[in-house]
Amino acid sequence: MRSPIPVMDCHGHIGVHPDFPAYQADVDAMVGVMDQLNIERLAVTSTLACYNDCPRGNAEIEAVLRRHPDRFFGYVTVNPNPPGQAMAELERWAAFHRPPLIKLHPGLHKYPVHGEHYKPIWDYANEHEAVVLVHTWDSDPNCGPLLFPPIAKAHPKARILLGHSGVTWRGIMQAMEAAEAAPNLFLDLASSQHHRLILEKCARRVGAERILFGSDMPFLEASMTLAHVLTARISDAEKEKILRTNFLTLVTG
Amino acid sequence: MRDAAENSGTETLLAEAADWDLFDVNARVGPSGVHGELALEKPGLLEEMDRFFIRHALVSHWAGEEYDPAVGNEALAREADERLTPAWAVLPNAELLEALAARKPKAVRITPGPTQHNFSLAKWGAGPMLEFLQDNAVLTLMVRNDIAWGEVASLLENFPRLRLVLLDTGYRADRYLFPLMDRFPNLYFDSATYLAHRQLESVVNERGAERILFGSRLPLFTPASSLGVLASARISDADRLAIAGGNLRRLLGLGASA
């Protein structure tokens, strides 16, 4: 199984995970899988940063970008705590990309995405027209999709990707409702739950222009989301936008 | 890719699956009080199976899970089809067990969780039912979240000949699943939610494919997800065919499709 068009993947990681064994998670193995499935380029965030240590985690991303500049994009992952660290990290790794790619994980960092400590990060994202990938989950008090329309409206130049689009059927309904409320909110397909009919519903309601392919590699298996997109009852033109054009447009400014 | 207005669909992407004699261990039919528009009656289920080259499925009825096993089994019997093998509902209840025995079951799906049929799988709670299932080699399906991992161990210690298929184990299962599989040779699991990065491929190549069964989770999930994982796994053809349907046919005592 292989994508007929080269894929731009908006959601990946570098690292392992604490709660189950990682398989083939080293960078070379990931590139092998990307070659197999025809994923041209993968935007990665540090899993170490998501769980534990942003400065060390972002340094891991810098090393990957240096080694594989044509295969990866790098998110600067920031934690609202301790206050001040996030801004220092954004400045430190400003050379990753212009516009910057920023990853937020309010679920693991256990701080609400609309909380005070996130405010300077959102202001920075707005000022620099950043692409911000945020982990979301159905109704979560820290990162439920319905928390995002006010943030997006207050920071209209930030392009905000609702990571996993809320995951569950109800979470995706919330993500669609949020995306309808603000044009700078986008739906990321990375998920372990690929409900029947859901992609067609998202394309009808929000439009394929605001749906992005994300694999969550090497956390989740990229081929499942790829097969979901490629077998969905949407047009080939919509598939191409989802698999490639939309994210490419965002990262090139 | 074809012209912009067209949809390349499954026929090009997963066409190789047409030769795998796919047999889905994890499918349900009928209306659901919980899952609304996703639920499928038999024609819709068969159509979705056709789209993804799934020739046969082990199917339970939502009514037997969400409501009452006797009502669900009657509804399931009305959906008889040569492509659909019934996975009957059952409770630890003498009358239901007698009715089940009359159906000469090949498989059951049990739902003991506290928000479902709410019973214990201990000997004192379901002894005669579990004795019947193991003595008659009835394949027993159960969603992993319906039972704690420790209860899986107790169940298989008490009923070692019971052929148990854990459905929807999730991709975080390995640190529980592997020790249990090492200890209990009649424990199987399905692939519907076994979806971590290169998990299926790595586990098959390290531990073998004999106890992994293809599952779609129809009608809730698109079969594309688990089929995509199976199609992209760098495993032997023999292992792929075993997971796709060979293992399940062996367990059900069925031959390959004509």
Side-chain angles (χ1 to χ4, degrees), chain B:
Chain B
M1 304 285 276
R2 299 179 193 175
D3 293 338
E6 292 188 47
N7 180 337
S8 297
T10 58
E11 68 275 17
T12 51
L13 182 74
L14 298 166
E16 59 191 315
D19 298 325
W20 295 349
D21 205 5
L22 278 161
F23 200 140
D24 185 351
V25 73
N26 188 354
R28 297 162 169 120
V29 70
S32 164
V34 179
H35 300 290
E37 64 191 291
L38 288 173
L40 289 170
E41 300 288 354
K42 185 171 80 171
L45 179 66
L46 292 172
E47 182 184 338
E48 202 67 1
M49 289 167 60
D50 285 340
R51 276 191 78 212
F52 292 95
F53 309 105
I54 299 170
R55 291 186 186 165
H56 294 96
L58 203 50
V59 176
S60 58
H61 197 284
W62 284 113
E65 183 172 336
E66 294 178 347
Y67 181 51
D68 177 70
V71 172
N73 288 344
E74 287 303 313
L76 187 58
R78 290 194 293 272
E79 304 288 6
D81 189 284
E82 61 95 17
R83 295 176 66 192
L84 305 178
T85 300
W88 306 102
V90 66
L91 290 175
N93 166 297
E95 192 179 334
L96 271 175
L97 202 53
E98 192 176 330
L100 178 73
R103 296 186 188 278
K104 302 191 183 325
K106 288 187 177 299
V108 293
R109 183 192 280 242
I110 58 175
T111 50
T115 60
Q116 295 183 296
H117 290 136
N118 197 26
F119 60 89
S120 170
L121 291 168
K123 282 184 181 174
W124 56 261
M129 179 187 90
L130 294 163
E131 291 285 356
F132 171 85
L133 296 176
Q134 77 166 357
D135 288 349
N136 291 279
V138 179
L139 199 62
T140 302
L141 315 181
M142 185 164 35
V143 170
R144 212 295 296 166
N145 276 347
D146 287 352
I147 183 171
W149 287 107
E151 290 177 278
V152 176
S154 300
L155 174 63
L156 292 172
E157 279 166 358
N158 290 333
F159 302 95
R161 291 177 290 110
L162 183 73
R163 300 186 308 170
L164 179 66
V165 182
L166 288 180
L167 303 176
D168 307 338
T169 60
Y171 53 90
R172 288 183 165 92
D174 291 351
R175 290 181 184 144
Y176 291 95
L177 191 58
F178 294 170
L180 289 170
M181 292 184 74
D182 289 343
R183 194 163 173 192
F184 300 111
N186 287 324
L187 177 61
Y188 301 80
F189 69 99
D190 92 313
S191 65
T193 59
Y194 202 63
L195 302 167
H197 173 70
R198 296 293 128 169
Q199 186 176 36
L200 183 74
E201 170 183 299
S202 301
V203 170
V204 167
N205 288 331
E206 289 170 20
R207 302 178 63 88
E210 294 77 13
R211 292 198 272 160
I212 307 176
L213 311 175
F214 170 75
S216 71
R217 214 164 178 247
L218 269 172
L220 305 183
F221 283 7
T222 168
S225 54
S226 56
L227 202 49
V229 173
L230 184 59
S232 69
R234 293 167 293 194
I235 58 178
S236 71
D237 290 344
D239 283 342
R240 200 180 324 274
L241 292 175
I243 295 168
N247 291 339
L248 181 55
R249 285 192 171 80
R250 184 185 73 244
L251 287 168
L252 295 173
L254 302 172
S257 298

Side-chain angles (χ1 to χ4, degrees), chain A:
Chain A
M1 199 199 81
R2 181 176 166 81
S3 172
I5 60 165
V7 175
M8 291 288 164
D9 185 340
C10 78
H11 191 154
H13 290 262
I14 297 295
V16 297
H17 15 273
D19 50 350
F20 64 99
Y23 299 101
Q24 304 182 42
D26 60 278
V27 173
D28 289 339
M30 288 168 62
V31 169
V33 172
M34 290 162 64
D35 289 343
Q36 180 201 8
L37 300 177
N38 200 16
I39 297 173
E40 181 180 324
R41 209 156 164 183
L42 170 66
V44 289
T45 174
S46 161
T47 311
L48 172 63
C50 291
Y51 278 97
N52 174 250
D53 185 337
C54 287
R56 284 189 176 80
N58 288 325
E60 291 179 346
I61 299 300
E62 196 269 343
V64 171
L65 295 178
R66 203 165 350 102
R67 190 166 158 221
H68 293 285
D70 299 328
R71 302 307 301 273
F72 295 96
F73 298 106
Y75 288 101
V76 182
T77 303
V78 292
N79 189 333
N81 287 309
Q85 185 196 72
M87 299 311 296
E89 283 297 291
L90 290 170
E91 295 299 336
R92 180 185 177 200
W93 305 110
F96 275 11
H97 294 289
R98 285 291 170 203
L101 308 185
I102 302 172
K103 170 67 185 277
L104 308 178
H105 206 309
L108 289 176
H109 293 154
K110 301 191 188 308
Y111 189 84
V113 72
H114 54 319
E116 188 62 26
H117 295 183
Y118 269 118
K119 187 157 190 333
I121 302 168
W122 287 119
D123 289 342
Y124 178 95
N126 190 56
E127 182 186 343
H128 293 86
E129 301 183 10
V131 175
V132 188
L133 173 63
V134 195
H135 176 90
T136 69
W137 193 278
D138 173 1
S139 306
D140 189 296
N142 289 328
C143 57
L146 294 176
L147 299 174
F148 285 86
I151 295 170
K153 288 174 183 172
H155 305 89
K157 293 181 184 170
R159 283 80 57 79
I160 304 169
L161 318 186
L162 299 174
H164 314 296
S165 297
V167 182
T168 67
W169 179 267
R170 185 177 62 179
I172 298 171
M173 295 300 153
Q174 293 170 357
M176 282 193 278
E177 184 179 336
E180 285 180 319
N184 53 332
L185 290 176
F186 296 79
L187 305 180
D188 159 39
L189 296 180
S191 178
S192 60
Q193 299 187 24
H194 286 277
H195 299 93
R196 208 169 55 77
L197 310 177
I198 198 72
L199 181 51
E200 292 84 347
K201 199 179 281 287
C202 289
R204 275 198 311 273
R205 240 178 104 173
V206 177
E209 296 75 16
R210 288 204 281 148
I211 304 172
L212 305 171
F213 174 83
S215 67
D216 216 355
M217 182 192 306
F219 193 84
L220 297 175
E221 171 55 46
S223 59
M224 72 167 153
T225 305
L226 191 57
H228 186 185
V229 175
L230 290 168
T231 60
R233 288 176 160 124
I234 57 177
S235 73
D236 284 359
E238 290 173 308
K239 291 174 185 175
E240 186 155 359
K241 287 176 185 171
I242 292 167
L243 291 173
R244 182 176 179 84
T245 319
N246 294 342
F247 190 55
L248 202 52
T249 303
L250 287 177
V251 296
T252 53

